[in-house]
Amino acid sequence: MTAKNLSTVATDLIEAYGNTAKNMIDAYRAGGERVVSLLEQRWNKALRESRSELTAETAKNARAAQLAFSVYYTRGLSLTSSGAQQVVNQLVKVLESGVERASANAALFEEKTGVNTLSTIAQVTAPGALALSKLAAQLEQKTADLAGKIAGDDVTTVSAKRASAFSQRRAKAA
């Protein structure tokens, strides 16, 4: 296995962990939305049960307060999960770019010096990286299943792997 093959495995591993993080963010968002829904239901039930003891103005204020809490919580949930998604996306891009550059620099170094130590290291570490990549793919699938269970039909999890920047460039070169 060459350094480029090792870099492809490393890129796949980065993608799998990125997708796993996205699945967990989706689960967090869906779980938070469920919490809001349950709190609204309980609030409305309590308000209905105590309606006869409350004045019209108190009931109106209680509904308004519940709506305000719900809106702020939902807005915060959306902001934090969207921010986390952006961080994961940028981190995956940076890491994939780093792997691509390291691979290109390793190949260039070996070409200029004639020393093939890096290729040898890549050959030795590639089977371990491939096994780790398979485990990461299984973890990715389990988190997608978990996010689906938490959200029901409300969440879209990352199920299809996107083409990495490395594989896109390789396809263009071919």
Side-chain angles (χ1 to χ4, degrees):
M1 194 173 274
T2 66
K4 287 197 186 261
N5 289 339
L6 179 60
S7 66
T8 303
V9 170
T11 300
D12 288 344
L13 183 63
I14 291 166
E15 267 185 62
Y17 279 122
N19 290 341
T20 299
K22 290 174 189 175
N23 289 336
M24 295 313 301
I25 292 167
D26 288 341
Y28 161 76
R29 180 183 294 141
E33 289 170 355
R34 273 192 161 180
V35 167
V36 168
S37 176
L38 290 172
L39 288 175
E40 284 177 359
Q41 289 173 10
R42 290 189 68 154
W43 185 277
N44 290 336
K45 181 181 177 187
L47 194 58
R48 275 192 310 272
E49 289 174 358
S50 62
R51 179 76 174 138
S52 62
E53 300 170 18
L54 302 175
T55 65
E57 185 178 345
T58 304
K60 179 182 171 187
N61 288 341
R63 266 195 311 273
Q66 186 276 326
L67 181 62
F69 295 144
S70 179
V71 166
Y72 284 121
Y73 181 83
T74 305
R75 205 175 281 161
L77 182 67
S78 176
L79 286 173
T80 56
S81 58
S82 295
Q85 287 275 17
Q86 290 176 356
V87 167
V88 168
N89 289 340
Q90 290 303 314
L91 190 57
V92 166
K93 281 182 187 178
V94 167
L95 290 173
E96 285 179 347
S97 176
V99 167
E100 184 179 340
R101 287 182 183 169
S103 174
N105 288 339
L108 194 60
F109 175 80
E110 287 183 346
E111 182 181 311
K112 297 286 183 187
T113 62
V115 177
N116 294 332
T117 306
L118 297 175
S119 290
T120 304
I121 292 171
Q123 288 174 350
V124 170
T125 58
L130 189 58
L132 186 59
S133 181
K134 288 179 182 178
L135 285 173
Q138 290 174 352
L139 179 63
E140 176 186 353
Q141 184 58 47
K142 294 289 184 188
T143 59
D145 294 344
L146 176 64
K149 285 179 183 177
I150 291 172
D153 297 330
D154 298 338
V155 74
T156 55
T157 57
V158 180
S159 57
K161 284 198 168 195
R162 65 173 181 80
S164 67
F166 183 76
S167 62
Q168 289 172 353
R169 287 190 185 106
R170 188 176 56 212
K172 283 182 186 177

